[in-house]
Amino acid sequence: MANPTYVGSSSSFGYKKVVVLDSDSDHQLRSEDSGCIFVIDADVAASAAQIYYLPKASETNVGCCFKFILDASPAQVIDIDRHADDADNIHGCLNSAQAAGEGASSDGTAQETVRFAASAVQGDNIELVLVGNGSSKWWQLSGNANDAAHIAIAAS
């Protein structure tokens, strides 16, 4: 077996704090926020869609991780987007509790946005972890939704 290639580390592996997002303005996440579980208060999207921007991948250590959990159904969509200076770089898929086991997927294509729909419910959640192979980095997505329509993965 070949030796594994070390590509970096983050001082905040795992989840170390819980933060309630209750401000009704868009928010730029920082690499220093790594390790946070963000509980999204549904009232943040009471009158307008909300966007949370991920840190710029090239300036963030691999291993940076965030978890987002809804506390109730939002009135408007809530997006988690790649950094404005990054190309589309979200990959992965989501599980759904539907009987058919359907869920959202990036289908192997880099995506820009993960969207909680207005129909999403308490407990729907996603996790994003920055990973890389030494020459490129991407946000690896995983998560769970009570229904396949609750969370979508979208291109730019």
Side-chain angles (χ1 to χ4, degrees):
M1 177 168 93
N3 290 331
T5 303
Y6 178 77
V7 294
S9 64
S10 173
S11 60
S12 296
F13 283 110
Y15 295 106
K16 306 201 180 322
K17 52 188 167 183
V18 176
V19 175
V20 175
L21 296 173
D22 57 5
S23 170
D24 62 350
S25 61
D26 296 344
H27 183 71
Q28 174 65 59
L29 298 173
R30 303 166 303 147
S31 58
E32 294 83 17
D33 297 323
S34 179
C36 281
I37 297 173
F38 292 106
V39 177
I40 302 174
D41 185 317
D43 292 337
V44 301
S47 60
Q50 293 299 302
I51 303 174
Y52 299 100
Y53 295 98
L54 295 167
K56 188 173 181 179
S58 64
E59 298 173 359
T60 305
N61 289 333
V62 294
C64 180
C65 57
F66 305 104
K67 188 166 193 163
F68 298 88
I69 304 172
L70 287 184
D71 78 344
S73 295
Q76 306 285 328
V77 299
I78 298 171
D79 290 348
I80 289 77
D81 281 10
R82 59 156 170 80
H83 190 278
D85 292 340
D86 285 343
D88 292 353
N89 62 357
I90 299 173
H91 290 271
C93 58
L94 302 164
N95 298 313
S96 166
Q98 286 184 303
E102 299 172 0
S105 171
S106 67
D107 292 323
T109 304
Q111 303 295 317
E112 174 184 12
T113 300
V114 181
R115 173 169 290 161
F116 287 98
S119 61
V121 297
Q122 182 177 16
D124 286 349
N125 66 85
I126 65 163
E127 177 179 24
L128 289 156
V129 178
L130 188 65
V131 296
N133 60 14
S135 61
S136 67
K137 294 179 184 178
W138 65 94
W139 292 99
Q140 183 64 40
L141 169 70
S142 60
N144 299 289
N146 286 288
D147 186 280
H150 290 184
I151 306 174
I153 307 168
S156 55

